[in-house]
Amino acid sequence: MKKKTLLIQAAGAALAIMAGGAMAEGWPAKPVTLVVPYTAGGSADAIGRRLGDVLRKETNVTVIVENKPGAGASVGTDFVARAQPDGTTLLLASTSPLTIFPHLAKTNYDPMKDLTPVASVAVAPVAIVATKALPVKDFAGLIDYAKSHPEGVRYGTPGQGTVAHIGMAAVTKQTGTQMLHVPYRGNSQALTDGLGGVVELLVVNSDVVLPHVANGALKPLAVMAPQRLAAWPDVPTMAELKLPEAQYYSNFGVFAPANLPATVSQPLLAALTRAVASADFQDLLAKSYLQPGTASGDAFAKQVQAEFANNARVIKEGNIKAD
């Protein structure tokens, strides 16, 4: 009887260990909420919804995409930072809420301590484009013109403190030029004035200006992106122009709360890797003129840390303030 009891106990212990292992490796154990800290309809929303669809197929678990906009994306970011680190509440956002906004306004979260960068999934390139009001043919011509016409070049961006604004602040600092920043409320408003010749230069998302470059209304001078655009194979990146610290673009990634255990982070990263490599997600990148993500895991975390430090310097040197 004693031997039988010991066998039952041993079997029960083995099952408990197996069950525990299955639970640990069984991410996700319940529906996943993917928070997009922006309004519906933009690039981040499109990326988040396509990623959610693909993750549903990869994990066979419900993935709910929830928009939580507000305060420079800090509302949704703070919501995820306060969630349990079980991998079921995730953030899909550009790196800006972690690397730009905290330098411009107080946040309830510590961007370097309260979130875990999991993977970059897509890049939205930023284009530096000349309007017909600017008589230059290339980026070198822009710098020459700006040096001979101090404050004679006005550049329109989607807004104060945006990636485009910070990137151009880095450009002017590194090239020793003075250009006047004209912030708009979004890419569309900037584009309207650019096409009307109100500003000499536009610094906006590349997809916004592609058709206007194609018809000759605008001329691309450079792209802020990891690689050249397929649509503009002759237009150099900032790195190729020897301005690597001005390499600014919207780097969209997935972030989780801090202290994410390996039993969650590993299957989560594996699922994300499969998702972004899927035909459905690659189709979104191609049709939206997006580029692949830059890194994952520790490499992505180091990119975010470096971006945070670089932005702190550029914002301080440029005396950049929030609206």
Side-chain angles (χ1 to χ4, degrees):
M1 187 65 156
K2 186 176 180 181
K3 183 176 181 181
K4 184 176 181 181
T5 301
L6 288 173
L7 286 171
I8 292 172
Q9 289 176 341
L15 285 171
I17 291 171
M18 291 171 66
M23 289 177 66
E25 296 175 5
W27 176 90
K30 59 181 182 179
V32 173
T33 297
L34 185 61
V35 174
V36 177
Y38 312 99
T39 55
S43 296
D45 187 56
I47 294 168
R49 294 189 183 282
R50 183 63 60 90
L51 186 62
D53 288 343
V54 179
L55 280 175
R56 288 185 197 103
K57 297 174 183 177
E58 290 292 335
T59 63
N60 293 318
V61 169
T62 299
V63 179
I64 303 165
V65 178
E66 185 174 348
N67 297 90
K68 284 185 175 293
S74 67
V75 172
T77 302
D78 182 57
F79 178 84
V80 174
R82 295 174 180 274
Q84 290 296 314
D86 59 4
T88 60
T89 303
L90 304 170
L91 180 73
L92 185 286
S94 75
T95 54
S96 296
L98 280 73
T99 66
I100 291 180
F101 190 76
H103 297 303
L104 300 173
K106 181 177 174 58
T107 61
N108 293 323
Y109 55 90
D110 185 322
M112 294 295 100
K113 293 181 179 180
D114 293 344
L115 289 148
T116 301
V118 181
S120 166
V121 298
V123 164
V126 172
I128 300 176
V129 182
T131 72
K132 290 189 174 180
L134 185 64
V136 302
K137 295 182 178 180
D138 53 26
F139 187 81
L142 165 65
I143 300 307
D144 289 341
Y145 185 89
K147 287 182 176 179
S148 61
H149 298 77
E151 298 188 350
V153 176
R154 294 161 295 180
Y155 65 94
T157 73
Q160 185 79 7
T162 57
V163 168
H165 179 201
I166 306 301
M168 278 304 292
V171 168
T172 56
K173 177 69 176 179
Q174 292 180 54
T175 58
T177 54
Q178 296 179 32
M179 301 187 219
L180 293 178
H181 178 224
V182 182
Y184 290 88
R185 293 194 176 278
N187 286 296
S188 296
Q189 289 185 6
L191 176 63
T192 298
D193 272 9
L195 291 173
V198 176
V199 292
E200 287 75 23
L201 202 65
L202 287 175
V203 187
V204 295
N205 285 4
S206 60
D207 62 311
V208 175
V209 295
L210 277 166
H212 305 284
V213 168
N215 67 22
L218 300 170
K219 182 171 182 58
L221 306 179
V223 290
M224 297 178 180
Q227 59 196 40
R228 295 190 181 198
L229 303 189
W232 305 336
D234 298 328
V235 179
T237 66
M238 302 311 293
E240 291 172 326
L241 292 168
K242 310 301 182 186
L243 296 171
E245 292 185 2
Q247 189 79 309
Y248 278 75
Y249 43 79
S250 295
N251 192 356
F252 293 100
V254 173
F255 303 85
N259 303 314
L260 199 67
T263 51
V264 171
S265 63
Q266 291 175 1
L268 169 59
L269 180 55
L272 285 172
T273 301
R274 294 192 301 272
V276 298
S278 69
D280 283 351
F281 196 78
Q282 291 298 311
D283 179 65
L284 172 72
L285 295 185
K287 290 181 177 177
S288 302
Y289 303 103
L290 298 168
Q291 293 184 354
T294 58
S296 61
D298 290 342
F300 183 42
K302 289 178 181 177
Q303 282 186 353
V304 172
Q305 292 164 2
E307 192 176 311
F308 179 85
N310 188 53
N311 289 343
R313 179 181 56 77
V314 172
I315 289 170
K316 182 178 180 180
E317 290 176 350
N319 194 30
I320 295 172
K321 307 293 183 183
D323 278 335

